[in-house]
Amino acid sequence: MTIALVKRPLRLTLHPQDVLPEGMSWRLHEGYVRSSTWDPEGEAITLGLWGPGDVISSEEPMLQPLELQCLTTVLVEHVELSSDEQDWHLRRERQMLAELHAIQRIRSGERRMLALLHWIGRTFGQVNSHGCRLSLSELNLTHRNLADLCGLTRVTVTKILSRFRQEGQLVVVGENDLLLPKLP
């Protein structure tokens, strides 16, 4: 009689600020993760944001150091990527990096912040006939995180978000959601 052992993939539940183990690929089932590196002065540089359904990897990183930090409580499962999946993941990673880089190159801080909010809304929010609804609290994106993403200071981000609310460019919906109204 032979007993077959079923190899189960490693599943982890991690908490905000935890870092995913290095040198592995993960399928994100719940929660949000930020990939980042540091500049020579030790300032964090956000390379991407990942949400449910995404595959994230620190296998053979293009930049060293590379850290995959949990923004929220996450549930991840270790995956072995085929070469096609690795190619797809790299294309997705490059696309996200290019989009974030383009946002960071916008000269006006207000336009940069608005472009970042629209990117977050398209990527992680809900687009409807009224505009784009997003939840910064669900992603656990603080004003400091937003500042890191778009190359502004936390104080500037707070002032810009307040101004956007006053001008109606950003509408508080419900307890924790924001709406970026559709432009006429």
Side-chain angles (χ1 to χ4, degrees):
M1 177 159 108
T2 323
I3 298 176
L5 295 176
V6 177
K7 183 179 174 184
R8 290 188 187 174
L10 174 63
R11 290 180 76 116
L12 299 175
T13 299
L14 299 164
H15 302 285
Q17 309 305 317
D18 286 349
V19 176
L20 290 169
E22 293 180 27
M24 301 173 83
S25 295
W26 303 93
R27 182 166 317 282
L28 189 55
H29 292 288
E30 294 176 18
Y32 298 90
V33 172
R34 172 180 58 202
S35 56
S36 58
T37 190
W38 295 268
D39 69 12
E41 289 81 39
E43 291 291 320
I45 301 169
T46 299
L47 303 172
L49 295 177
W50 310 95
D54 286 331
V55 172
I56 52 180
S57 180
S58 60
E59 291 183 63
E60 302 177 30
M62 298 301 241
L63 290 172
Q64 290 283 348
L66 175 68
E67 182 176 83
L68 302 175
Q69 182 185 45
C70 302
L71 292 172
T72 63
T73 298
V74 300
L75 174 61
V76 292
E77 180 178 6
H78 176 254
V79 292
E80 299 287 335
L81 299 177
S82 69
S83 61
D84 286 344
E85 290 170 320
Q86 287 174 346
D87 289 346
W88 184 89
H89 171 71
L90 288 173
R91 280 193 306 276
R92 171 86 167 94
E93 201 171 64
R94 266 195 325 261
Q95 177 187 355
M96 186 179 295
L97 190 55
E99 290 169 353
L100 288 174
H101 181 70
I103 290 168
Q104 291 170 352
R105 298 297 300 163
I106 296 172
R107 288 200 187 276
S108 160
E110 287 187 0
R111 285 188 33 237
R112 190 179 328 154
M113 189 71 228
L114 194 56
L116 177 64
L117 291 172
H118 278 283
W119 179 83
I120 292 169
R122 281 189 317 273
T123 307
F124 303 107
Q126 300 170 337
V127 179
N128 61 39
S129 61
H130 301 289
C132 188
R133 187 175 179 149
L134 62 129
S135 175
L136 298 178
S137 63
E138 181 182 316
L139 279 84
N140 198 21
L141 286 175
T142 64
H143 290 189
R144 174 76 246 158
N145 295 136
L146 292 171
D148 288 344
L149 275 164
C150 65
L152 298 170
T153 66
R154 184 204 52 80
V155 172
T156 300
V157 166
T158 300
K159 287 178 182 177
I160 289 172
L161 291 176
S162 178
R163 191 171 316 123
F164 284 171
R165 286 185 193 104
Q166 289 172 351
E167 294 171 356
Q169 293 183 67
L170 193 59
V171 179
V172 177
V173 179
E175 221 173 280
N176 297 310
D177 290 358
L178 299 172
L179 176 72
L180 291 159
K182 191 178 248 180
L183 298 175

